[in-house]
Amino acid sequence: MKLDLNVSLAAGYKSSPQIARVVTENWASQNLFCPACPSNSLRQFPTNTRAVDFLCPNCNRAFQLKSSRTWNQHKIIDSAYSSMIAAIRSDSVPNLMVMQYTPQWKVQNLLFVPSFFFTETSIEKRNPLSPSARRAGWVGCNILLREIPPDGKLILVADGILIPRELVRERFNLIKPLSMLKANVRGWTLSVLNIVRLVGKSEFSLFDIYEFEEKLTEKYPRNQNVRPKIRQQLQKLRDFGLLEFLGQGRYRVISVK
Ligand SMILES: [Zn+2]
Protein backbone atom coordinates (compact mmCIF):
# COMPACT_ATOMS: atom_id res chain seq x y z
CA MET A 1 0.00 0.00 0.00
CA LYS A 2 1.26 3.45 -0.86
CA LEU A 3 1.87 5.93 1.92
CA ASP A 4 0.28 9.23 0.94
CA LEU A 5 1.75 11.94 3.12
CA ASN A 6 -0.17 14.69 1.43
CA VAL A 7 -3.42 13.45 2.86
CA SER A 8 -4.26 14.53 6.37
CA LEU A 9 -4.84 11.85 8.95
CA ALA A 10 -8.28 13.24 9.75
CA ALA A 11 -9.07 16.57 8.20
CA GLY A 12 -11.39 18.69 10.30
CA TYR A 13 -11.05 16.77 13.58
CA LYS A 14 -10.32 18.66 16.77
CA SER A 15 -7.47 17.22 18.78
CA SER A 16 -8.12 15.03 21.82
CA PRO A 17 -6.12 12.10 23.18
CA GLN A 18 -8.86 9.62 22.22
CA ILE A 19 -9.24 10.96 18.69
CA ALA A 20 -5.46 11.14 18.30
CA ARG A 21 -5.18 7.49 19.24
CA VAL A 22 -7.92 6.38 16.86
CA VAL A 23 -6.63 8.50 13.99
CA THR A 24 -2.96 7.66 14.32
CA GLU A 25 -3.59 3.94 14.84
CA ASN A 26 -5.90 3.97 11.87
CA TRP A 27 -3.22 5.60 9.75
CA ALA A 28 -0.63 3.15 11.06
CA SER A 29 -2.76 0.08 10.36
CA GLN A 30 -3.09 1.22 6.76
CA ASN A 31 0.46 2.36 6.16
CA LEU A 32 2.89 0.73 8.54
CA PHE A 33 5.10 -2.08 7.32
CA CYS A 34 7.46 -4.43 9.14
CA PRO A 35 11.03 -3.09 8.96
CA ALA A 36 12.36 -6.46 10.11
CA CYS A 37 10.90 -8.72 7.42
CA PRO A 38 9.31 -8.44 3.96
CA SER A 39 5.77 -7.99 5.32
CA ASN A 40 4.18 -4.80 3.97
CA SER A 41 1.47 -4.66 6.61
CA LEU A 42 1.03 -5.05 10.36
CA ARG A 43 -2.01 -6.42 12.16
CA GLN A 44 -3.67 -4.13 14.68
CA PHE A 45 -4.49 -5.33 18.18
CA PRO A 46 -7.79 -4.32 19.78
CA THR A 47 -7.23 -1.08 21.71
CA ASN A 48 -6.11 -1.40 25.33
CA THR A 49 -5.74 -5.16 25.30
CA ARG A 50 -2.05 -5.03 26.20
CA ALA A 51 1.11 -2.96 25.69
CA VAL A 52 1.21 -4.07 22.08
CA ASP A 53 -0.60 -2.20 19.32
CA PHE A 54 0.51 -4.08 16.21
CA LEU A 55 1.81 -7.50 15.33
CA CYS A 56 3.65 -8.55 12.18
CA PRO A 57 1.64 -11.41 10.61
CA ASN A 58 4.82 -12.77 9.05
CA CYS A 59 7.59 -12.66 11.70
CA ASN A 60 5.33 -12.20 14.78
CA ARG A 61 7.24 -9.16 16.08
CA ALA A 62 5.17 -6.93 18.37
CA PHE A 63 5.07 -3.14 18.02
CA GLN A 64 3.94 -0.37 20.30
CA LEU A 65 2.97 2.96 18.75
CA LYS A 66 3.43 6.21 20.65
CA SER A 67 2.08 9.23 18.87
CA SER A 68 2.07 12.86 19.84
CA ARG A 69 2.01 16.35 18.41
CA THR A 70 5.18 17.31 20.20
CA TRP A 71 8.57 15.98 19.28
CA ASN A 72 11.30 15.41 21.81
CA GLN A 73 14.33 13.68 20.39
CA HIS A 74 15.85 13.18 23.84
CA LYS A 75 13.14 11.44 25.82
CA ILE A 76 9.62 10.13 25.68
CA ILE A 77 7.28 9.34 28.52
CA ASP A 78 6.59 5.67 29.09
CA SER A 79 4.58 3.66 31.61
CA ALA A 80 5.54 2.16 34.97
CA TYR A 81 9.27 2.10 35.72
CA SER A 82 9.30 -1.31 37.43
CA SER A 83 7.43 -3.09 34.65
CA MET A 84 9.67 -1.52 31.99
CA ILE A 85 12.83 -2.68 33.79
CA ALA A 86 11.33 -6.15 34.24
CA ALA A 87 10.43 -6.25 30.54
CA ILE A 88 14.00 -5.27 29.56
CA ARG A 89 15.48 -7.95 31.84
CA SER A 90 13.20 -10.62 30.44
CA ASP A 91 13.68 -9.36 26.87
CA SER A 92 9.96 -8.84 26.36
CA VAL A 93 9.88 -5.14 25.43
CA PRO A 94 7.90 -4.61 22.22
CA ASN A 95 9.46 -2.79 19.28
CA LEU A 96 8.68 0.89 19.50
CA MET A 97 7.29 3.25 16.88
CA VAL A 98 7.38 6.95 17.78
CA MET A 99 5.15 9.15 15.66
CA GLN A 100 4.83 12.91 15.54
CA TYR A 101 1.87 14.43 13.70
CA THR A 102 1.11 18.04 12.88
CA PRO A 103 -1.96 20.02 14.10
CA GLN A 104 -3.34 19.25 10.62
CA TRP A 105 -2.95 15.53 11.37
CA LYS A 106 -0.10 14.92 8.95
CA VAL A 107 2.62 12.46 9.85
CA GLN A 108 5.74 14.56 10.30
CA ASN A 109 8.22 12.13 11.86
CA LEU A 110 8.20 8.43 12.52
CA LEU A 111 10.96 6.53 14.31
CA PHE A 112 11.35 2.81 14.82
CA VAL A 113 13.35 1.54 17.81
CA PRO A 114 13.94 -2.24 17.69
CA SER A 115 13.27 -3.95 21.02
CA PHE A 116 16.90 -5.07 21.36
CA PHE A 117 18.07 -1.46 21.66
CA PHE A 118 16.42 -1.01 25.05
CA THR A 119 18.77 -1.17 28.02
CA GLU A 120 18.41 -0.24 31.67
CA THR A 121 20.59 2.84 31.11
CA SER A 122 18.15 4.05 28.45
CA ILE A 123 15.35 4.19 31.05
CA GLU A 124 14.98 7.11 33.46
CA LYS A 125 13.02 6.75 36.67
CA ARG A 126 10.53 9.55 37.21
CA ASN A 127 9.53 11.03 40.56
CA PRO A 128 6.67 9.23 42.32
CA LEU A 129 3.24 10.81 41.86
CA SER A 130 2.35 13.20 44.67
CA PRO A 131 0.24 12.02 47.64
CA SER A 132 -2.73 13.99 46.27
CA ALA A 133 -2.65 12.21 42.91
CA ARG A 134 -5.18 9.51 42.13
CA ARG A 135 -2.36 6.98 41.81
CA ALA A 136 -0.22 8.42 44.61
CA GLY A 137 3.28 6.95 44.80
CA TRP A 138 3.13 5.44 41.34
CA VAL A 139 6.51 5.64 39.56
CA GLY A 140 6.64 6.13 35.83
CA CYS A 141 9.63 6.27 33.51
CA ASN A 142 11.06 8.04 30.49
CA ILE A 143 12.74 6.35 27.55
CA LEU A 144 15.96 8.28 26.98
CA LEU A 145 16.23 8.33 23.21
CA ARG A 146 19.59 10.08 23.48
CA GLU A 147 21.02 6.96 25.16
CA ILE A 148 20.05 4.85 22.15
CA PRO A 149 22.62 4.85 19.32
CA PRO A 150 21.35 6.28 16.01
CA ASP A 151 21.55 2.75 14.60
CA GLY A 152 18.63 1.87 16.87
CA LYS A 153 16.48 4.81 15.79
CA LEU A 154 15.50 3.93 12.27
CA ILE A 155 13.74 6.75 10.50
CA LEU A 156 10.58 5.82 8.59
CA VAL A 157 9.34 9.37 8.01
CA ALA A 158 11.57 12.48 8.32
CA ASP A 159 10.05 15.97 8.13
CA GLY A 160 7.08 14.59 6.24
CA ILE A 161 9.26 12.67 3.78
CA LEU A 162 8.88 8.93 3.55
CA ILE A 163 12.11 6.89 3.66
CA PRO A 164 12.01 4.00 1.14
CA ARG A 165 11.17 0.66 2.74
CA GLU A 166 14.12 -1.07 1.10
CA LEU A 167 16.51 1.38 2.79
CA VAL A 168 14.85 0.92 6.20
CA ARG A 169 15.12 -2.86 5.83
CA GLU A 170 18.73 -2.60 4.68
CA ARG A 171 19.54 -0.57 7.80
CA PHE A 172 17.68 -3.04 9.99
CA ASN A 173 19.63 -5.96 8.51
CA LEU A 174 22.90 -4.25 9.39
CA ILE A 175 21.96 -4.01 13.08
CA LYS A 176 20.02 -7.28 13.31
CA PRO A 177 23.03 -9.27 14.60
CA LEU A 178 22.90 -7.12 17.77
CA SER A 179 19.63 -8.86 18.63
CA MET A 180 21.72 -11.90 19.57
CA LEU A 181 23.12 -10.04 22.59
CA LYS A 182 21.55 -11.08 25.86
CA ALA A 183 19.69 -8.34 27.74
CA ASN A 184 22.21 -8.31 30.62
CA VAL A 185 25.26 -7.60 28.43
CA ARG A 186 23.64 -5.43 25.80
CA GLY A 187 24.10 -2.15 27.71
CA TRP A 188 27.87 -1.96 27.35
CA THR A 189 27.90 -2.84 23.67
CA LEU A 190 25.26 -0.24 22.84
CA SER A 191 26.93 2.42 25.01
CA VAL A 192 30.20 1.92 23.11
CA LEU A 193 28.35 1.93 19.79
CA ASN A 194 26.71 5.21 20.82
CA ILE A 195 30.19 6.65 21.51
CA VAL A 196 31.46 5.47 18.12
CA ARG A 197 28.55 7.39 16.56
CA LEU A 198 29.19 10.45 18.74
CA VAL A 199 32.84 10.48 17.63
CA GLY A 200 31.35 10.47 14.16
CA LYS A 201 34.49 9.59 12.18
CA SER A 202 34.60 6.98 9.43
CA GLU A 203 37.96 5.91 10.93
CA PHE A 204 38.86 6.35 14.57
CA SER A 205 41.40 5.25 17.16
CA LEU A 206 41.06 3.59 20.52
CA PHE A 207 41.97 6.91 22.14
CA ASP A 208 38.93 8.60 20.57
CA ILE A 209 36.82 6.16 22.58
CA TYR A 210 38.96 6.34 25.76
CA GLU A 211 38.01 10.04 25.91
CA PHE A 212 34.63 8.83 27.17
CA GLU A 213 36.11 6.66 29.93
CA GLU A 214 34.82 8.91 32.69
CA LYS A 215 31.30 8.99 31.28
CA LEU A 216 31.25 5.20 31.08
CA THR A 217 32.54 4.92 34.65
CA GLU A 218 29.65 7.11 35.81
CA LYS A 219 27.19 4.97 33.90
CA TYR A 220 28.62 1.65 35.06
CA PRO A 221 30.07 2.43 38.51
CA ARG A 222 30.55 -1.23 39.39
CA ASN A 223 33.00 -1.81 36.56
CA GLN A 224 36.62 -1.07 37.47
CA ASN A 225 38.21 -2.03 34.16
CA VAL A 226 36.68 0.34 31.71
CA ARG A 227 39.43 0.33 29.07
CA PRO A 228 39.56 -3.48 28.63
CA LYS A 229 35.76 -3.43 28.59
CA ILE A 230 35.80 -0.86 25.76
CA ARG A 231 38.21 -3.01 23.73
CA GLN A 232 36.02 -6.06 24.31
CA GLN A 233 32.93 -4.18 23.06
CA LEU A 234 34.78 -2.96 19.96
CA GLN A 235 35.60 -6.59 19.23
CA LYS A 236 31.93 -7.46 19.55
CA LEU A 237 30.98 -4.64 17.19
CA ARG A 238 33.52 -6.01 14.74
CA ASP A 239 32.11 -9.53 15.08
CA PHE A 240 28.63 -8.10 14.40
CA GLY A 241 29.90 -6.55 11.18
CA LEU A 242 29.66 -2.91 12.28
CA LEU A 243 33.42 -2.22 12.46
CA GLU A 244 36.60 -3.26 10.74
CA PHE A 245 39.94 -3.54 12.59
CA LEU A 246 42.76 -1.73 10.81
CA GLY A 247 45.44 -2.71 13.33
CA GLN A 248 47.39 -0.66 15.88
CA GLY A 249 44.26 0.48 17.66
CA ARG A 250 42.55 1.87 14.58
CA TYR A 251 39.05 1.05 13.40
CA ARG A 252 36.85 1.69 10.37
CA VAL A 253 33.09 2.11 10.60
CA ILE A 254 30.91 -0.02 8.31
CA SER A 255 27.55 1.57 7.63
CA VAL A 256 24.72 1.93 5.19
CA LYS A 257 24.65 5.44 3.66
ZN1 LIG B 1 7.83 -8.89 10.22
Side-chain angles (χ1 to χ4, degrees), residues 34 36-37 39 56 58-59:
C34 181
C37 85
S39 175
C56 173
N58 185 46
C59 70

Side-chain angles (χ1 to χ4, degrees), residues 45-57:
F45 260 76
T47 312
N48 295 334
T49 43
R50 45 192 284 193
V52 169
D53 299 311
F54 294 92
L55 200 67
C56 173

Side-chain angles (χ1 to χ4, degrees), residues 199-238:
V199 168
K201 299 177 181 170
S202 55
E203 282 184 29
F204 64 90
S205 81
L206 208 43
F207 293 98
D208 288 322
I209 311 297
Y210 286 167
E211 299 256 332
F212 294 82
E213 192 176 354
E214 215 175 283
K215 278 215 162 80
L216 285 167
T217 309
E218 272 169 34
K219 206 179 281 186
Y220 302 98
R222 276 179 297 177
N223 199 294
Q224 302 297 310
N225 301 303
V226 173
R227 288 189 174 203
K229 196 80 183 168
I230 287 174
R231 294 197 296 274
Q232 181 195 45
Q233 301 313 312
L234 290 168
Q235 261 169 34
K236 278 191 189 173
L237 294 175
R238 177 198 57 185

